[in-house]
Amino acid sequence: MKKSVTLLFTLALVTIAFHAFTNQSGPGGKLANDPGAGNCTQCHTGTALNGGSGSPNNIQISGNFSGGGYIPDSTYNVKITFTQSSISKFGINATALYSSDSSTMAGSFTITSNRLQKRTTTIGGKSRQYVEQTSTGSSATSTNTAEWAFQWKAPSTNVGDIWFYVVTMSANGNGQNSGDQVYFRKIVINPSSLLPVATATASNSNPCSGETVNFTGSGTNSPTSYSWVFPGGSPSVSSAQNPSVSFTSAGKKYVTLQVTNAKGISNKDTVIVDVKKPLTAFIAGGNTQTICPGDSVELTASLFSGYSYNWSNGATGNKIFAKKAGDYYVVVDDGSCSKISNVVTVSHYTVPTPTITPSVADSICRNGTLTLTSTTGYDSFYWYNKFAQIASSTTNTHTLTVDSGSSYRVRAWTSNHCLSAFSDSVELKTVKAEDGPVISCKNTQPFSLDFGWTVATHNGVQISLDSGKSWKAPSSGTMGLTHSMSGLDPETDYQLMVRAILGVPCNFSEASTQVCRTGKCSPINAQVVSDTAICSGEDVNVVVHGLANEEYSLNFEGGNHFKDTAFQFSPGQTATHILYVTDSTLLGCPPKKLSFKVRVDNISTPILKTQKTGNIFCEGDTIIFTASSGNETYRFFVNGNLRSTQSDSFYFESTFANGDSAFVEVENGQCSATSDLVHLLVAATPTATFTYSRVHKLYTFIPDNAFYKSYNWDFGDGFTSVLQQPDHNFGTSSNSTKNVKLEVTDNNDCVNLHSEDVVIPDFSGIEILQNDNVAIFPNPAFQTVNVHLKNASETQSHVKIYTLSGNVVYSSLFETLDFSIDLTTFAGSLYVIEIQNGEINSRQLLIKN
């Protein structure tokens, strides 16, 4: 069982060579002597690793590590120091790898000074980072000492020990690749001792199947949670510190525990539980097994530690490979009892050997065609020449070209996926075909020519006018030695192929080829010059040169004849056009063809749009213009001024004013077009200011503009409203200040926000005294409030009305027990009315609407 590991900085020495003289721009990475990386010894003659008077212990790493090591996903300031006497130029190359997987980069580097640079490369398909000196970092930081500082971010999980591979160089300054001193050190960085270390134990490490096992978990450094994994157990996972688990399947179970504290997660601690189960003897896979001859089938019995297995063929172990046909069984013994398994019968498929038949016997012409035919009854075939496979097929025939001596065979797969033995062989002798006839050009005229040839002994000749696709007798007959061609074009090449007819095995000689050219007809040498590209609807200008002092006529694409050497026409689409020039002095000569191609570009009037219907925007909005796609160039104009030329069909900008206009001009090849104007409406920012009034705890909020699309109020106490003129009770916000916000959206969907601080008074400071002998109504009151005294001892009453802040706003004497007070001049608010009559002293709350 894995136990706790004390985190130490452990040093291991491995030597490596660096660049013999310091490369001030950095060695280029992959030189830290890390696994899979190179070193510099082969490039620096006479360089000794860890040589001279120095020692690899002169390389030191320091950092702001916690608890003597790293905490996962934490970033540390790391410094590498190297000391070497009488040296002023230094070099460094370093990386960090998992100790458990030396091909994986451990964490990542961040450059924090101009003395280092970072390089990233790939080794074994995995990315690694290296830090190395810059030109500035090659100098000493103090006498005989160089320091390099950087940041290292640890891996996101606890991966165990991490190795820093560090190579340093002290250059002798001779400018050569010799005499330098190179040092290497591998330094371990442990996980922090502040991380927890998990410890797991089991009450029984060799239980029977189904038996309950009690597990005990603990950890150092105050663990806060536990994570158990029980492969094949019930439950399969647990977060309890001391869980109980049962296992229904046999075998070794590698139970793991990880604990977590405030600093991170521990490494796994493993408890091996070897589960026993009742004796079983059974050969899996079915009681009948049929295989191909020469193959074998694996027979497997259930495996249990400590059991012995004795097979009917004398083999031991829980599995065997059965090759021979017959019956197989196994006897399983656990030391105290044994059991015979089921019987498995192994038999062989019948696989016949194919035969092979060639399409020719004994010999074949070199580069001749041969067809091989196999016997049928197979799913697929492999074809061989001298036991080297040359093809495969699902049919029983294979056609090939024979170029040398051969020995052909076939093997076949049956429907049972069995491969047959090799068939008998087909041995053929190859014969080289005779050389082809020698061809020459004879009697070359403007409209005709003759081919002639010489040929050795033959049974006739054949000619081909289509490069060997078809063959026929020459014009002089099968045994002739010439072929005549007429009705040809002057100054034109014509090709002829000739082959001799032979006997078997080569039916024909090699084919010879000859190209002959007809004679010259007309001496006119005209050339055509034209526009190569136009916009649809435009005319093409055509000029014919070389016809001065000539007798001629021109014909353009089958039209009437004419003599004007400069003309125009309007094509509808891209095409190659033909102009014919006829020599009037040699009417027997065909017209000379002059071809030229004209590209016709098309364009349509572009449509320019914005992202909003009606082109109405708010102040500060970014307007996105989109033009019709499919053009090569777009020029966007605002108020007649060019703002952008680009290949994209959209353009955006935010500096616009109400009444601005825009259009786009597009080009496609030779064509250009301009869109209609887009007129922009930029709406003013809506007003979001507001006022409010209060009646005791009830506040009424009124926006300055009552004609907008929506209103969103936030009263600062967790309550909101979408009413235009809401009422809100601040009773729970007594003696505080709330920031009330109003966001408005006008009919153009423009938005504005305004906020004000509202001071809420202390409602508990208002003393309200009531007296059953005095009735005040209505309350709330609008214009008049009525007072009725029930058991008054006097007829005269003194009435005062106060604001909530204590200011007297009304005072009067009344001589009756019933009277009214005019409130029309009072502002809508909350007041206190006080009535004194003899022994009656009443104070009540009065609400004026």
Side-chain angles (χ1 to χ4, degrees):
M1 179 166 57
K2 184 177 179 183
K3 300 301 180 182
S4 60
V5 179
T6 304
L7 299 175
L8 297 174
F9 280 60
T10 305
L11 305 181
L13 303 181
V14 177
T15 57
I16 184 173
F18 200 69
H19 285 140
F21 53 95
T22 301
N23 187 335
Q24 296 189 8
S25 61
K30 297 178 66 173
L31 296 173
N33 205 33
D34 44 316
N39 59 60
C40 301
T41 55
Q42 65 271 30
C43 299
H44 294 266
T45 59
T47 299
L49 301 178
N50 296 328
S53 59
S55 166
N57 289 326
N58 291 350
I59 302 173
Q60 300 293 330
I61 285 185
S62 60
N64 57 333
F65 297 103
S66 302
Y70 72 91
I71 293 176
D73 208 34
S74 298
T75 300
Y76 298 98
N77 295 317
V78 178
K79 182 170 66 178
I80 298 177
T81 303
F82 174 62
T83 302
Q84 177 68 31
S85 62
S86 302
I87 297 297
S88 61
K89 289 295 182 180
F90 300 84
I92 184 170
N93 198 267
T95 189
L97 302 177
Y98 289 2
S99 62
S100 60
D101 178 8
S102 61
S103 65
T104 300
M105 178 71 189
S108 61
F109 297 133
T110 298
I111 300 303
T112 58
S113 75
N114 61 358
R115 289 181 57 80
L116 283 177
Q117 58 187 336
K118 180 172 71 174
R119 295 186 189 269
T120 301
T121 187
T122 300
I123 298 178
K126 293 185 178 181
S127 178
R128 291 186 194 175
Q129 295 179 355
Y130 293 83
V131 291
E132 61 185 38
Q133 87 278 359
T134 62
S135 59
T136 302
S138 64
S139 61
T141 53
S142 60
T143 302
N144 301 326
T145 300
E147 294 182 349
W148 298 277
F150 57 95
Q151 285 188 340
W152 172 64
K153 185 174 184 180
S156 59
T157 59
N158 187 341
V159 297
D161 294 345
I162 291 173
W163 287 105
F164 271 72
Y165 294 80
V166 182
V167 166
T168 60
M169 169 181 274
S170 57
N172 60 12
N174 65 359
Q176 304 297 320
N177 60 349
S178 62
D180 301 319
Q181 298 179 25
V182 180
Y183 302 92
F184 167 72
R185 191 172 190 182
K186 185 170 69 171
I187 303 174
V188 66
I189 305 298
N190 308 107
S192 172
S193 62
L194 302 178
L195 293 171
V197 177
T199 301
T201 59
S203 61
N204 186 354
S205 62
N206 191 24
C208 298
S209 175
E211 182 179 357
T212 298
V213 179
N214 298 317
F215 290 88
T216 302
S218 63
T220 63
N221 294 330
S222 304
T224 56
S225 63
Y226 298 81
S227 177
W228 294 86
V229 177
F230 306 99
S234 179
S236 60
V237 295
S238 176
S239 59
Q241 181 178 357
N242 304 310
S244 297
V245 182
S246 62
F247 299 89
T248 59
S249 60
K252 289 185 178 181
K253 311 298 180 183
Y254 293 88
V255 177
T256 61
L257 169 65
Q258 283 184 292
V259 299
T260 302
N261 70 358
K263 295 297 182 180
I265 303 175
S266 72
N267 282 331
K268 294 179 180 179
D269 191 17
T270 302
V271 177
I272 300 176
V273 178
D274 194 357
V275 181
K276 298 179 295 186
K277 78 171 192 177
L279 186 66
T280 299
F282 180 75
I283 304 174
N287 293 333
T288 301
Q289 301 285 343
T290 306
I291 60 176
C292 298
D295 285 353
S296 61
V297 61
E298 184 180 49
L299 303 180
T300 304
S302 302
L303 175 64
F304 296 94
S305 177
Y307 289 11
S308 63
Y309 299 83
N310 296 286
W311 293 82
S312 55
N313 65 348
T316 59
N318 80 302
K319 61 176 65 176
I320 63 171
F321 287 92
K323 188 173 184 179
K324 295 181 179 181
D327 293 334
Y328 294 83
Y329 63 88
V330 65
V331 178
V332 181
D333 195 321
D334 67 351
S336 58
C337 61
S338 63
K339 186 175 182 180
I340 300 176
S341 72
N342 54 312
V343 176
V344 176
T345 300
V346 177
S347 59
H348 289 163
Y349 291 113
T350 300
V351 183
T353 300
T355 60
I356 187 171
T357 303
S359 58
V360 299
D362 299 330
S363 61
I364 188 171
C365 187
R366 183 173 296 174
N367 297 321
T369 300
L370 172 68
T371 298
L372 302 173
T373 302
S374 170
T375 50
T376 59
Y378 301 93
D379 282 359
S380 59
F381 302 84
Y382 285 166
W383 304 92
Y384 296 83
N385 184 11
K386 299 177 181 178
F387 293 103
Q389 184 178 332
I390 57 175
S392 63
S393 65
T394 57
T395 62
N396 70 319
T397 60
H398 175 60
T399 301
L400 69 157
T401 299
V402 179
D403 60 358
S404 61
S406 56
S407 177
Y408 297 105
R409 293 174 174 83
V410 67
R411 297 183 77 182
W413 287 95
T414 68
S415 58
N416 295 319
H417 307 291
C418 297
L419 183 62
S420 74
F422 281 101
S423 70
D424 53 326
S425 66
V426 170
E427 312 286 342
L428 294 175
K429 178 182 179 181
T430 58
V431 178
K432 183 182 181 302
E434 294 183 7
D435 293 336
V438 178
I439 311 171
S440 60
C441 300
K442 299 177 179 295
N443 192 24
T444 55
Q445 300 297 321
F447 309 112
S448 65
L449 57 80
D450 295 334
F451 291 89
W453 55 83
T454 59
V455 63
T457 303
H458 64 284
N459 298 325
V461 295
Q462 291 181 333
I463 65 166
S464 175
L465 300 173
D466 55 8
S467 300
K469 296 178 182 177
S470 61
W471 295 87
K472 64 179 181 179
S475 62
S476 60
T478 302
M479 299 301 293
L481 298 176
T482 61
H483 178 73
S484 298
M485 301 176 65
S486 60
L488 308 179
D489 293 331
E491 301 180 66
T492 304
D493 290 334
Y494 292 90
Q495 175 181 287
L496 183 75
M497 295 181 69
V498 182
R499 68 183 182 183
I501 302 174
L502 307 172
V504 294
C506 296
N507 296 323
F508 301 97
S509 72
E510 298 287 348
S512 300
T513 302
Q514 179 65 45
V515 176
C516 295
R517 186 175 183 85
T518 53
K520 204 169 186 180
C521 187
S522 170
I524 290 179
N525 185 20
Q527 301 89 34
V528 65
V529 177
S530 73
D531 297 330
T532 58
I534 63 169
C535 187
S536 179
E538 294 180 351
D539 289 335
V540 176
N541 296 303
V542 182
V543 178
V544 184
H545 297 287
L547 297 179
N549 303 318
E550 299 285 356
E551 294 294 329
Y552 65 90
S553 68
L554 303 176
N555 176 274
F556 182 59
E557 296 189 336
N560 295 326
H561 289 271
F562 59 93
K563 294 184 68 65
D564 193 350
T565 58
F567 63 93
Q568 296 178 325
F569 73 100
S570 181
Q573 60 186 7
T574 298
T576 298
H577 303 278
I578 306 296
L579 177 68
Y580 297 91
V581 182
T582 301
D583 189 340
S584 299
T585 63
L586 293 171
L587 296 178
C589 289
K592 180 183 288 292
K593 295 180 181 179
L594 301 177
S595 63
F596 58 95
K597 185 175 181 180
V598 179
R599 188 185 81 243
V600 179
D601 298 321
N602 292 282
I603 197 168
S604 57
T605 301
I607 298 174
L608 184 64
K609 296 180 179 180
T610 69
Q611 77 271 30
K612 286 193 177 181
T613 303
N615 303 320
I616 301 175
F617 297 89
C618 304
E619 289 182 351
D621 281 356
T622 295
I623 302 178
I624 302 174
F625 294 97
T626 304
S628 306
S629 61
N631 297 297
E632 295 176 350
T633 304
Y634 295 82
R635 287 189 288 272
F636 292 90
F637 293 81
V638 177
N639 295 334
N641 298 316
L642 178 63
R643 290 289 181 89
S644 178
T645 301
Q646 56 193 50
S647 59
D648 293 327
S649 60
F650 66 91
Y651 167 71
F652 57 89
E653 189 177 326
S654 59
T655 56
F656 290 96
N658 187 38
D660 284 353
S661 62
F663 68 89
V664 66
E665 182 179 275
V666 298
E667 287 184 359
N668 193 25
Q670 300 296 309
C671 304
S672 62
T674 303
S675 71
D676 292 335
L677 281 174
V678 173
H679 295 280
L680 306 174
L681 298 176
V682 180
T685 302
T687 299
T689 55
F690 58 87
T691 60
Y692 62 90
S693 61
R694 178 175 69 85
V695 177
H696 195 38
K697 302 177 183 179
L698 190 67
Y699 284 69
T700 300
F701 294 89
I702 303 170
D704 290 349
N705 190 308
F707 301 100
Y708 289 149
K709 184 177 182 179
S710 66
Y711 299 83
N712 287 282
W713 297 87
D714 184 341
F715 300 113
D717 58 356
F719 291 92
T720 59
S721 175
V722 295
L723 297 177
Q724 180 194 89
Q725 185 174 311
D727 292 327
H728 182 64
N729 192 318
F730 279 112
T732 59
S733 303
S734 177
N735 195 25
S736 66
T737 299
K738 299 298 178 184
N739 184 256
V740 179
K741 300 182 182 69
L742 170 60
E743 182 182 82
V744 298
T745 303
D746 65 12
N747 293 326
N748 295 317
D749 290 327
C750 297
V751 179
N752 195 14
L753 177 70
H754 177 73
S755 65
E756 288 189 18
D757 288 336
V758 177
V759 178
I760 312 301
D762 186 358
F763 298 119
S764 63
I766 303 174
E767 180 185 2
I768 304 298
L769 302 177
Q770 294 186 351
N771 193 309
D772 292 338
N773 292 324
V774 179
I776 300 175
F777 58 92
N779 192 5
F782 182 62
Q783 291 182 333
T784 303
V785 62
N786 301 310
V787 179
H788 171 65
L789 300 178
K790 300 178 182 178
N791 300 314
S793 59
E794 300 179 6
T795 58
Q796 188 182 64
S797 299
H798 187 192
V799 178
K800 292 183 180 179
I801 299 179
Y802 301 87
T803 65
L804 293 182
S805 60
N807 295 325
V808 177
V809 295
Y810 180 84
S811 179
S812 182
L813 295 174
F814 291 93
E815 299 294 338
T816 62
L817 298 180
D818 293 281
F819 51 88
S820 298
I821 302 173
D822 185 6
L823 301 177
T824 56
T825 60
F826 283 57
S829 185
L830 194 66
Y831 299 89
V832 175
I833 183 170
E834 180 182 72
I835 302 172
Q836 293 183 341
N837 182 292
E839 297 297 327
I840 297 175
N841 189 348
S842 174
R843 300 181 73 196
Q844 297 189 32
L845 190 66
L846 172 63
I847 300 175
K848 168 63 170 64
N849 284 338

